Amino acid sequence: MYQEYGAKGFEVVQISFRENPDLVRRTVQERGYVAPVLLDERGDLTGRVYGVWGPGTKYFVDRKGRVVGRHVGPNDWNTPAGRAFIQALLETDSKP
């Protein structure tokens, strides 16, 4: 979805939270992830700046930089409902 919706302004930043950076790099390469990864080995930055204290937290930010949603835990965004949500978010405030 990152590659598919990227031309429409969809951005994804993966945050590695309290993980060994070498393990993260290997995992990213093995799984073929293409979205950028922020390495936060100690978890300080992620918690202090973004308020994330556990893995699996997704924040949805509109084009004006406002947090408009949050989801904790796994979710398959490649479903009709997930795609509709992302499409609706992209169509909201369509001008940066």
Side-chain angles (χ1 to χ4, degrees):
M1 290 182 69
Y2 172 71
Q3 291 175 312
E4 181 180 339
Y5 289 114
K8 295 180 181 180
F10 183 64
E11 290 287 338
V12 173
V13 177
Q14 301 175 84
I15 300 173
S16 169
F17 182 78
R18 295 182 182 165
E19 294 287 342
N20 178 296
D22 292 331
L23 174 62
V24 173
R25 287 183 190 98
R26 274 196 316 272
T27 302
V28 166
Q29 184 176 7
E30 288 170 2
R31 295 184 182 178
Y33 295 153
V34 294
V37 178
L38 169 69
L39 298 173
D40 186 8
E41 188 174 2
R42 292 184 7 207
D44 296 354
L45 176 67
T46 305
R48 199 173 54 252
V49 175
Y50 299 105
V52 176
W53 296 104
T57 304
K58 293 106 182 133
Y59 288 93
F60 301 95
V61 181
D62 70 9
R63 294 179 187 271
K64 294 182 181 176
R66 300 174 297 205
V67 174
V68 296
R70 185 179 100 148
H71 178 80
V72 178
N75 192 29
D76 184 358
W77 298 101
N78 199 23
T79 64
R83 288 178 165 277
F85 174 79
I86 298 299
Q87 189 64 42
L89 185 60
L90 288 171
E91 291 171 359
T92 303
D93 292 323
S94 60
K95 294 183 181 179

